[in-house]
Structures are given as structure tokens and as C-alpha cells.
Amino acid sequence: MIIALGCDHAGFPLKHLLHAWLEKKGHQVLNLGVDTDAVAADYPDYARAVAENVAAGKAERGIVVCGSGVGATVAANKVPGVRAGMCHDTFSARQGVEDDDVNVLCLGGRVIGCELAYEVAAAWLNAKFSGLDRHRRRKDKVTAIERAYSKEAVK
């Protein structure tokens, strides 16, 4: 799977570990920065880059790491076609994909450690959208909200 991966300075240490872990698992990683934590970086820039790559089909899914995961989630969800979810447990990660078709995972580098991040990412990557009628209906309603407030086409 092609995974777009980005972070701010607070998320860099975890993103660095996730990058290697994803490649070890056989995924292709689009590294969208940052590559150091020496200089402060703004999470919206990297959340946007990841989200745009997912929305454009350049990556099948994306992962953004910031300090808490909250800011990255808010920013990524502004891109039409993106359904970002902040997950710090495996249940939310799996169910987020199965029920809500979450295509961008947001993590808090200051909230969870690398072992839990690997477990959460694995649950998220291994999950598939169920396609059940109730989940499609709800996803369609979310997309309708997005269309109502967006000037861009929603996929």
C-alpha cells in the first residue's frame, strides 16, 4: 500500500520510527516531512500535504503525527475527500475504517509510544470499509455535508 506520511516537529520522533516500520511491513512511504525536530514546523502544512496526496489518489492512505493528534485531525479533515481520525487505540483505528472509511490516521507523538503506535497503525492498515448499507448511508451523509460547504468537488 502507498502511505503518505507527514508530521510537525513534535511528531517527528514517532514519524521517523513509523516510516521505518511501514517500509519493513512492505508499504511504500511518501515522506512529506518534516525530517527533523530541530526547527518548529506547523502541523497544518503537513496535514494538508498528506490529505491532498490521499484525496488526489497519489496515496491509498495517509498518516499524520503532531504533538496531540488533534490539530492534524482538524487540518486534514478540511481537504475534501479526506476522512481523518485521531486514534490512540486499536478499536477506534479498526472501527474507524470499517464503519467510517477513515483514510487518514492522526496520531499524537506526545501521547502514545511507538509500540502502541505500531499496534494502532496495524489495526488501521489491516481494516477494510465494510460497505454495509448503514455505513454507506452515513458516509454519504458526511460527504453531503462536505459538498454543501466546499467549493471543490468531493470524491
Side-chain angles (χ1 to χ4, degrees), residues 33-58:
V34 299
D35 294 317
T36 181
D37 57 0
V39 178
D42 297 334
Y43 67 82
D45 299 334
Y46 302 95
R48 181 179 186 170
V50 168
E52 287 178 344
N53 273 266
V54 171
K58 295 177 184 175

Side-chain angles (χ1 to χ4, degrees), residues 1-6 22 30 32 46-47 49-55 58-65 76 82-85 102-107 121 124-125:
M1 184 180 302
I2 300 173
I3 309 292
L5 180 63
L22 288 163
L30 298 178
L32 301 173
Y46 302 95
V50 168
E52 287 178 344
N53 273 266
V54 171
K58 295 177 184 175
E60 295 164 74
R61 294 193 187 172
I63 300 175
V64 187
V65 187
V82 168
R83 293 167 304 282
V102 166
N103 55 11
V104 173
L105 174 66
C106 299
L107 299 169
W124 178 75
L125 288 165

Side-chain angles (χ1 to χ4, degrees), residues 107-126:
L107 299 169
R110 293 177 175 160
V111 176
I112 64 171
C114 65
E115 292 302 321
L116 180 54
Y118 298 154
E119 291 177 22
V120 169
W124 178 75
L125 288 165
N126 291 325

Side-chain angles (χ1 to χ4, degrees), residues 68-103:
S68 68
V70 175
T73 305
V74 171
N77 276 315
K78 300 300 181 186
V79 175
V82 168
R83 293 167 304 282
M86 181 181 69
C87 301
H88 292 140
D89 64 88
T90 58
F91 176 81
S92 298
R94 180 186 50 78
Q95 188 178 25
V97 175
E98 290 176 352
D99 293 3
D100 305 309
D101 202 17
V102 166
N103 55 11

Side-chain angles (χ1 to χ4, degrees), residues 7-25:
C7 67
D8 65 2
H9 61 284
F12 171 74
L14 181 57
K15 176 225 164 205
H16 179 71
L17 295 170
L18 280 168
H19 189 150
W21 180 84
L22 288 163
E23 287 183 334
K24 184 178 176 184
K25 296 292 182 187

